Amino acid sequence: MSKPEAVKEPSMEMQKAMIARNYDAITSKHETGRKVSSTFVPGNLNELLMCFDIVNNLPEINAIQAGMRKASGGYIMEAEKSGHSEDVCTYVKADIGQMSKGNIAPNGKPYPNPDVLMLSYTGCYTFMKWFELLREEYKCPTLMLHVPYEGDGHSTKNMRDYIVKQLKEVVIPGLEQVSGVKFDIDRLRQYLRNSAKAEDNLVWCLEQGKVKPSPIDAYFGGVYYIGPIFTAFRGTEDAVSYYEMLRKEVQGRIENHQGPLTPEGTYFNDQKYRLIVEGPPNWTNFREFWKMFYDEGAIVVASSYTKVGGLYDQGFRHDPDNPLESLADYCLGCYTNLNLPTRVDLLAKYVEEYEADGLLINSIKSCNSFSAGQLMIMKEVERRTGRPGAFIETDLVDPRYFSAANVKNRLESYFQMIEQKRRGGGSKTVAA
Amino acid sequence: MRCFIGIDLGSTTTKAVVMDENLQILGRGITNSRSNYDTAAAVSKQEALIDTRLTLFRRALSNVPEVSGKVDDILSDLERNFRHVQFLEQLEDLQNTCIANIKGPRFAGREKVVIEALEGTFSRLRDSSAAQYAPGVKRKSDFFRDLAGAEFMSHGEAVCKEAGLGFDLILNVYDKSIIEVENRPPAGDMEGKFVRALEKGTMTGSSILAPVQSALAIPLEETYVVGTGYGRVRLPFPKEHIRSEILCHGLGAHMMYPDTRTVLDIGGQDTKGIQVDPVGIVENFQMNDRCAAGCGRYLGYIADEMNMGLHELGPLAMKSNKQVRINSTCTVFAGAELRDRLALGEKREDILAGLHRAIILRAMSILSRAGGVKDQFTFTGGVAKNEAAVRELRKLIKENYGDVTINIDPDSIYTGALGGATFAVRAVVN
């Protein structure tokens, strides 16, 4: 028996159509003659790639798509057959495995080989190894933009200049060479103008998590909200329209005192627990995972994952007046490029500002970059805010690492713990 | 009287605790979960209500000057007789079920002799059961399956031999029927059974009979039931009657030792490190993840590997004076290490000591992830009864956290159910 289709809102339908168009653009490379790049989500240079008419393909997103379509398990096993260890990032293995299974895109057509690997390194060490493997496979040029890690919690002018210099001397000439298109900074400025417009509306939407009941779920719903801006659409007119539409939908829910729609098609209004969530979601059991939350009345009012491709809510906007510098700032400020104290500051701030009951961490088994230090983060946020934290463990796209009974047990315990803490003195009679 | 009940449906055993509205424990009951949570919940609850009756008898008898100093004897006599009545009742059910299961080509033409053999076997079982429930006899198990099973083997074999019949024939019927009987919700009429038990007893003087009968007349009203444990969703309760075992163990440990701040629960399927505040509210917890390495079931597996009873592991490990280092808490890997060490000629007790240490090392990791061990520390769950595990735990807690008070209640296996019962009281009284 097939599962009922998830209920989709107009903005989701629009996004679905945008993603489909992008996959068509990627897979019709040979007909259109457009060049294709592969690049990563955090710190991607979408507006810059657009200046060279390069189509943007994101292996991470392809792995997520495979996870949600229940195809990633087979791809991962395939990658393991070719020698990749059990503990390697499952996005990588889904991508590699997919290659050896025909490399078919969600539209049923094969992915073409990329013309360039655009590696903007923003804190994830695996990215470098991943593209090494792809370079070996595709024998195409790799452009590396090295982004300095914000080890002491802030960026300096030096860091920014270093990135701008690389853009000028390595990345832009490299993209010109691959595409045969000459760089036009005014074209970049126009795209950045569109980005900033979309970013304003995205931030507005995400901040509505402060409203009670929250009209958004900033984690399970949030991954849809960030879709266009973090992928191949930032800078496009499509993205501007998408975020205008999303804003109207959220506004409508606020006016009707409604929560977000669940996949079951009901408005999630009876919100008992407000959570901040840190860490990526599990994609293979996404709906089952989400259901564990709304069945118990838990809504996510803010999450760090929705900042993984840019911390817009902290004030950053792409700036058409300083195009290359703002690209540098964007890369530097990605969530994955932040040190642990900065992540703690941000999460503690969310707990306070969004009046959350506590911080829940979904620690990803195969993601050492993101998961290292998360238990420390949780303890420190707990200490600062006085609100309880909880820790669950799943994986990105490896279905073998989602243990439903274990996750559910922990979540229910956590929600009941919050409930018990609220009642507070209820057990005083017990102590007597 | 109003009764508040907590039921902890664990993977191995199901426990129930009955409380009154003043948070006084009236009774405890336990049964094996036997993969049938509905029956396990019903049995454990009934057991706890039987224990509640005994508590009420004790209270009633404490006001009778003539029996002063003899109450313990009277109650143990009463309980023994009650258990015997209960055993006979289940035995009758088993006999009827066995006879009903004699059908099919296997028995064709031999039905009569097989029935006679069964009747003969059960008749001997009934006769010998009195000895099992005689004063001072220590029964090997509280579970019907174990008690009836052992006797069935010896009597059945003898009867079949005398009748010139293959024992396999009735053993097969028995195997099929015991599962049915075991999974049948227990028969009611607890009061009737107590009356029969009283009649069987030697102390039926009116000074005893009247107070016991008045205690029996008190209606036990199930005011509120809270369920916890992995089988909790099976309970026919609304959602608000279900509590996670983490909260129940936290609160249960607090009820046993109000100054508890850290709780370690090693259960059948998982290990939990829990921090509680001064009023028993859970502040933080961590659980084992991805695999149940080092949990109670690990010991069960090792016991099977060594062809020993689970309860024999601890005492044997205590005899060790040279601990073998076992690195693996992965159940299967540990089995491999165990066989390897045995092949190398290591002593069983030394290997077992190493295995106990491996479990506790794993628990220490969960405790440190949960925020360390604070004074007072309470160890709960079935493994708390294992002296070798406790010895390692004490040693490692002292090495890592110094002189913290370590509490281990003899009834620690009931901690989750106790927490559940406390939640039940709170739901109504507060």
Side-chain angles (χ1 to χ4, degrees):
Chain A
M1 202 176 75
S2 63
K3 281 186 184 172
E5 272 291 295
V7 175
K8 290 196 165 65
E9 292 167 298
S11 64
M12 286 172 82
E13 296 292 354
M14 182 182 179
Q15 184 177 154
K16 196 177 163 191
M18 287 160 67
I19 292 169
R21 277 203 302 279
N22 193 53
Y23 276 120
D24 284 340
I26 294 167
T27 53
S28 60
K29 167 184 141 170
H30 297 298
E31 295 94 77
T32 61
R34 288 182 71 178
K35 302 294 181 192
V36 171
S37 72
S38 280
T39 193
F40 293 112
V41 169
N44 74 59
L45 302 170
N46 195 54
E47 298 91 338
L48 194 63
L49 290 166
M50 282 161 60
C51 291
F52 301 94
D53 297 325
I54 293 176
V55 187
N56 190 346
N57 188 19
L58 298 129
E60 288 158 284
I61 301 296
N62 299 343
I64 292 172
Q65 292 275 349
M68 291 187 97
R69 285 182 293 117
K70 311 277 179 211
S72 56
Y75 295 157
I76 289 167
M77 305 269 268
E78 200 60 31
E80 288 175 358
K81 271 189 215 163
S82 63
H84 294 277
S85 146
E86 197 182 2
D87 296 326
V88 166
C89 166
T90 52
Y91 278 167
V92 177
K93 284 192 291 185
D95 187 34
I96 304 273
Q98 180 161 285
M99 256 188 253
S100 48
K101 287 212 156 195
N103 221 8
I104 304 297
N107 62 5
K109 296 178 187 167
Y111 285 109
N113 288 0
D115 299 286
V116 61
L117 299 171
M118 178 62 246
L119 170 55
S120 57
Y121 169 76
T122 48
C124 172
Y125 294 93
T126 303
F127 284 172
M128 285 191 280
K129 296 291 160 195
W130 191 347
F131 268 15
E132 268 179 35
L133 292 166
L134 297 193
R135 185 173 61 178
E136 204 53 35
E137 177 75 21
Y138 296 122
K139 314 278 188 227
C140 67
T142 307
L143 298 174
M144 169 140 175
L145 176 72
H146 179 243
V147 178
Y149 178 58
E150 290 200 358
D152 52 5
H154 58 87
S155 61
T156 62
K157 184 174 177 301
N158 246 348
M159 292 177 179
R160 186 198 229 200
D161 292 346
Y162 173 57
I163 298 172
V164 171
K165 188 172 174 348
Q166 291 178 78
L167 288 173
K168 284 181 180 164
E169 294 177 6
V170 180
V171 177
I172 291 173
L175 293 174
E176 281 180 328
Q177 200 176 358
V178 167
S179 66
V181 175
K182 186 143 180 52
F183 176 58
D184 172 2
I185 199 158
D186 290 330
R187 197 172 163 190
L188 180 62
R189 287 182 207 277
Q190 181 51 38
Y191 292 143
L192 294 181
R193 208 164 281 125
N194 286 344
S195 298
K197 265 193 228 168
E199 286 156 5
D200 279 344
N201 282 330
L202 167 75
V203 170
W204 183 89
C205 290
L206 291 179
E207 288 189 336
Q208 301 319 303
K210 290 174 185 169
V211 176
K212 291 178 186 174
S214 171
I216 61 162
D217 183 287
Y219 190 58
F220 297 102
V223 299
Y224 290 99
Y225 306 154
I226 59 173
I229 207 127
F230 286 175
T231 61
F233 307 98
R234 203 180 55 238
T236 64
E237 295 287 346
D238 268 351
V240 174
S241 311
Y242 170 84
Y243 285 102
E244 280 168 3
M245 179 185 266
L246 182 66
R247 181 169 179 155
K248 278 189 197 127
E249 281 173 7
V250 174
Q251 182 69 54
R253 292 202 289 270
I254 294 173
E255 283 158 16
N256 295 319
H257 303 287
Q258 278 171 336
L261 266 183
T262 67
E264 283 164 356
T266 48
Y267 285 103
F268 179 18
N269 301 333
D270 184 20
Q271 301 174 2
K272 287 191 251 171
Y273 313 107
R274 295 167 60 82
L275 304 179
I276 306 299
V277 176
E278 145 82 7
N282 165 275
W283 301 104
T284 50
N285 298 65
F286 187 81
R287 283 188 56 190
E288 185 186 5
F289 192 28
W290 190 353
K291 196 171 187 310
M292 289 179 191
F293 286 70
Y294 62 74
D295 274 355
E296 296 291 322
I299 184 105
V300 183
V301 289
S303 72
S304 54
Y305 186 68
T306 47
K307 317 293 153 49
V308 78
L311 279 157
Y312 301 110
D313 64 333
Q314 302 305 301
F316 169 79
R317 292 291 179 279
H318 282 94
D319 176 8
D321 295 331
N322 298 291
L324 297 185
E325 291 76 8
S326 84
L327 286 180
D329 291 341
Y330 166 67
C331 292
L332 280 163
C334 280
Y335 190 72
T336 48
N337 204 42
L338 305 181
N339 68 356
L340 289 181
T342 313
R343 280 166 73 184
V344 168
D345 287 345
L346 193 68
L347 291 164
K349 192 172 141 189
Y350 286 158
V351 172
E352 300 292 353
E353 285 184 358
Y354 286 78
E355 295 181 53
D357 294 296
L359 170 71
L360 174 77
I361 293 184
N362 181 31
S363 189
I364 296 297
K365 182 199 171 290
S366 72
C367 180
N368 290 333
S369 293
F370 216 97
S371 306
Q374 278 178 327
L375 201 57
M376 283 159 53
I377 290 179
M378 184 188 89
K379 286 184 180 155
E380 185 56 20
V381 173
E382 273 185 326
R383 195 189 63 77
R384 286 202 209 169
T385 62
R387 270 161 271 183
F391 206 75
I392 54 171
E393 287 152 286
T394 71
D395 193 55
L396 297 166
V397 288
D398 191 338
R400 296 169 300 184
Y401 293 123
F402 185 85
S403 165
N406 188 291
V407 171
K408 195 163 186 277
N409 201 6
R410 290 185 195 211
L411 286 177
E412 284 182 15
S413 299
Y414 180 47
F415 303 145
Q416 289 175 13
M417 183 172 119
I418 293 172
E419 182 70 43
Q420 197 186 21
K421 275 187 161 262
R422 276 192 196 144
R423 291 184 189 166
S427 58
K428 282 196 176 104
T429 49
V430 173
Chain B
M1 70 185 297
R2 296 209 292 178
C3 291
F4 301 86
I5 304 175
I7 304 180
D8 178 1
L9 290 127
S11 60
T12 319
T13 53
T14 294
K15 288 77 63 176
V17 164
V18 178
M19 255 185 180
D20 67 13
E21 56 196 30
N22 300 315
L23 298 164
Q24 295 300 309
I25 297 173
L26 298 172
R28 299 180 184 89
I30 186 166
T31 186
N32 49 340
S33 295
R34 56 173 86 101
S35 308
N36 184 336
Y37 284 125
D38 298 340
T39 309
V43 173
S44 68
K45 191 168 80 178
Q46 196 191 56
E47 287 294 313
L49 288 169
I50 291 166
D51 200 31
T52 301
R53 283 288 174 210
L54 291 167
T55 305
L56 296 180
F57 297 156
R58 179 179 293 280
R59 285 184 187 173
L61 291 170
S62 68
N63 299 323
V64 182
E66 294 96 307
V67 295
S68 170
K70 290 188 277 182
V71 174
D72 282 343
D73 293 339
I74 294 168
L75 285 176
S76 80
D77 186 52
L78 187 59
E79 190 186 356
R80 268 190 305 101
N81 289 324
F82 177 87
R83 295 291 175 199
H84 192 199
V85 169
Q86 208 182 21
F87 178 83
L88 290 172
E89 189 183 277
Q90 259 187 306
L91 203 61
E92 192 183 340
D93 183 11
L94 181 62
Q95 180 175 351
N96 294 337
T97 310
C98 282
I99 290 170
N101 278 330
I102 299 172
K103 52 192 169 201
R106 188 187 175 102
F107 301 101
R110 290 193 288 180
E111 288 91 344
K112 195 166 170 284
V113 279
V114 176
I115 289 174
E116 278 170 6
L118 275 171
E119 282 172 346
T121 304
F122 278 102
S123 165
R124 290 187 193 190
L125 264 163
R126 270 189 295 277
D127 293 343
S128 67
S129 68
Q132 280 194 51
Y133 291 92
V137 172
K138 200 166 162 47
R139 287 182 299 280
K140 280 184 182 160
S141 168
D142 289 329
F143 300 139
F144 178 72
R145 166 190 272 271
D146 302 336
L147 295 175
E151 296 278 298
F152 188 92
M153 296 305 137
S154 58
H155 292 313
E157 211 154 11
V159 167
C160 287
K161 199 172 176 184
E162 287 163 22
L165 196 71
F167 177 54
D168 281 0
L169 218 53
I170 67 164
L171 182 62
N172 176 272
V173 180
Y174 169 84
D175 282 342
K176 192 173 172 193
S177 307
I178 188 78
I179 297 168
E180 282 178 45
V181 171
E182 199 178 40
N183 285 329
R184 221 176 332 260
D189 188 29
M190 196 206 300
E191 286 72 21
K193 276 181 246 178
F194 269 116
V195 169
R196 273 176 279 154
L198 269 174
E199 286 162 0
K200 275 168 84 91
T202 49
M203 303 176 207
T204 48
S206 61
S207 58
I208 299 168
L209 199 60
V212 167
Q213 280 181 331
S214 69
L216 259 180
I218 298 170
L220 298 181
E221 177 200 329
E222 284 182 29
T223 307
Y224 204 96
V225 186
V226 164
T228 187
Y230 269 94
R232 63 189 184 274
V233 287
R234 280 295 312 166
L235 294 172
F237 307 155
K239 208 168 179 176
E240 58 270 24
H241 286 240
I242 306 290
R243 286 286 185 286
S244 93
E245 62 239 55
I246 289 156
L247 263 71
C248 287
H249 272 273
L251 185 57
H254 169 84
M255 293 296 288
M256 289 170 166
Y257 302 98
D259 292 326
T260 297
R261 290 294 173 276
T262 304
V263 182
L264 171 67
D265 168 44
I266 304 186
Q269 306 291 302
D270 49 38
T271 302
K272 308 167 198 87
I274 307 167
Q275 308 287 6
V276 292
D277 75 0
V279 288
I281 294 177
V282 173
E283 297 211 295
N284 200 339
F285 65 89
Q286 286 293 325
M287 279 167 71
N288 58 311
D289 182 53
R290 293 173 196 132
C291 76
C295 296
R297 188 65 196 94
Y298 166 95
L299 283 174
Y301 172 80
I302 296 300
D304 290 348
E305 284 283 302
M306 289 218 167
N307 203 17
M308 294 169 70
L310 185 61
H311 301 293
E312 294 171 284
L313 290 183
L316 183 57
M318 290 297 281
K319 290 184 183 152
S320 155
N321 37 32
K322 176 191 149 242
Q323 201 171 59
V324 169
R325 190 186 177 97
I326 302 284
N327 286 325
S328 205
T329 43
C330 161
T331 308
V332 175
F333 279 6
E337 280 200 54
L338 173 137
R339 280 186 290 272
D340 182 54
R341 301 294 175 179
L342 281 173
L344 289 171
E346 299 278 8
K347 282 194 204 152
R348 296 190 338 153
E349 53 262 42
D350 296 338
I351 298 171
L352 278 180
L355 285 163
H356 282 85
R357 183 173 174 86
I359 288 190
I360 298 301
L361 279 171
R362 170 98 178 155
M364 291 301 290
S365 158
I366 289 163
L367 277 170
S368 49
R369 293 180 70 196
V373 173
K374 295 172 193 131
D375 198 13
Q376 295 178 5
F377 170 69
T378 303
F379 184 24
T380 70
V383 180
K385 272 198 178 300
N386 179 316
E387 52 195 319
V390 169
R391 179 179 66 177
E392 288 307 320
L393 183 71
R394 286 187 188 281
K395 217 188 292 174
L396 283 162
I397 294 282
K398 191 170 169 61
E399 277 171 26
N400 287 278
Y401 298 99
D403 282 320
V404 295
T405 306
I406 299 176
N407 304 314
I408 300 172
D409 191 289
D411 286 318
S412 69
I413 197 162
Y414 293 101
T415 311
L418 173 61
T422 312
F423 277 122
V425 176
R426 282 199 201 163
V428 175
V429 178
N430 296 352

